[in-house]
């Protein structure tokens, strides 16, 4: 088991399943997860899944503890304006941050250094400290502005990993398509994944 510390943020793009599946995998591998969620993301979760996440950070943290009690891991939930959270400072933030899914609005705010909420501030910290930042947008089509922001962030050191499932493993369910994207994220984080064999590897 790993003790890797990771910040995971969910924002208001479609694809809440990606973020929730990733959270389960991080906890299953013993990671310490700092969890951030936007108001829009809570609406998306309620729309795309049968889950109803509590709004208050303390209540959500308790909900996670009950739901994932059998998993080897810990999750700490921080509010959108909890500026004293470790993720808001270079001296306390984890070495890796993933925003999954990442709305184009959040992507834009990070690209210009807005830091209007804790998600944006945590991403700003990751960039300024030259730490790993993975953004998982799910939008179609991309406008010129979206692409310019992605290029700008890539040049700053962030990784843009679109939620674009592959099909060479012949998925037969939505869950398997979600797992493909989560597998790519886990690869980038240096964590184990058994969802999809790597190219050239046997699935047996």
């Amino acid at each position: 088991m790993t003790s890797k510390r990771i910040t995971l943020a969910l924002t208001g793009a479609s694809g809440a399943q990606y973020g929730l599946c990733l959270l389960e995998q991080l906890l299953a591998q013993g990671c310490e997860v700092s969890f951030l969620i936007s108001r829009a993301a809570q609406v998306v979760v309620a729309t795309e899944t049968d889950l109803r996440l509590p709004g208050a950070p303390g209540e959500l943290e308790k909900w996670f503890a009950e739901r994932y009690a059998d998993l080897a891991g810990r999750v700490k939930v921080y509010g959108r304006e909890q500026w004293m959270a470790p993720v808001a400072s270079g001296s306390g933030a984890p070495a890796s941050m993933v925003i999954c899914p990442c709305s184009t609005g959040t992507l834009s705010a990070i690209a210009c250094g807005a830091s209007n909420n804790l998600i944006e501030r945590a991403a700003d910290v990751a960039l300024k400290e030259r730490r790993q930042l993975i953004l998982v947008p799910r939008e179609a089509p991309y406008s010129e502005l979206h692409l310019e922001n992605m290029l700008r962030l890539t040049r700053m050191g962030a990784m843009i990993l679109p939620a674009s499932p592959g099909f060479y493993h012949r998925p037969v369910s939505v869950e398997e398509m979600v797992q493909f994207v989560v597998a790519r994220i886990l690869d980038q984080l240096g964590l184990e994944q058994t969802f999809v064999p790597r190219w050239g590897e046997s699935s047996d």
Side-chain angles (χ1 to χ4, degrees), residues 3 21 25 50 58 73 90 98 102 145 156 164 168 173 196 202:
S3 58
C21 179
Q25 289 300 305
D50 294 328
V98 183
C102 181
L145 183 57
M156 293 179 190
S164 303
Y168 60 81
S173 67
V196 183
S202 172

Side-chain angles (χ1 to χ4, degrees), residues 43-67:
V43 174
V44 172
V45 170
T47 301
E48 297 185 342
T49 75
D50 294 328
L51 302 177
R52 297 295 181 271
L53 302 183
E59 294 178 4
L60 180 54
E61 192 170 303
K62 181 179 179 181
W63 186 89
F64 280 138
E66 294 172 352
R67 182 176 179 84

Side-chain angles (χ1 to χ4, degrees), residues 11-12 30 134 194:
T11 61
I134 302 172
T194 58

Side-chain angles (χ1 to χ4, degrees), residues 13-101:
S14 179
Q17 296 92 337
Y18 294 116
L20 295 172
C21 179
L22 177 59
L23 174 62
E24 290 183 355
Q25 289 300 305
L26 295 177
L27 293 177
Q29 295 196 41
C31 295
E32 295 182 19
V33 179
S34 297
F35 187 83
L36 315 175
I37 185 169
S38 70
R39 291 187 180 90
Q42 288 186 309
V43 174
V44 172
V45 170
T47 301
E48 297 185 342
T49 75
D50 294 328
L51 302 177
R52 297 295 181 271
L53 302 183
E59 294 178 4
L60 180 54
E61 192 170 303
K62 181 179 179 181
W63 186 89
F64 280 138
E66 294 172 352
R67 182 176 179 84
Y68 302 121
D70 60 328
L71 296 179
R74 291 176 289 174
V75 56
K76 177 67 177 177
V77 180
Y78 296 100
R80 288 172 284 271
E81 296 184 353
Q82 198 168 338
W83 303 114
M84 296 304 293
V87 298
S89 171
S91 64
S96 299
M97 179 176 184
V98 183
I99 304 181
C100 177

Side-chain angles (χ1 to χ4, degrees), residues 79-129:
R80 288 172 284 271
E81 296 184 353
Q82 198 168 338
W83 303 114
M84 296 304 293
V87 298
S89 171
S91 64
S96 299
M97 179 176 184
V98 183
I99 304 181
C100 177
C102 181
S103 69
T104 53
T106 298
L107 192 146
S108 173
I110 297 169
C112 69
S115 294
N116 288 320
N117 56 52
L118 189 58
I119 293 175
E120 296 170 11
R121 171 57 185 170
D124 189 58
V125 167
L127 290 173
K128 79 181 184 70
E129 299 291 332

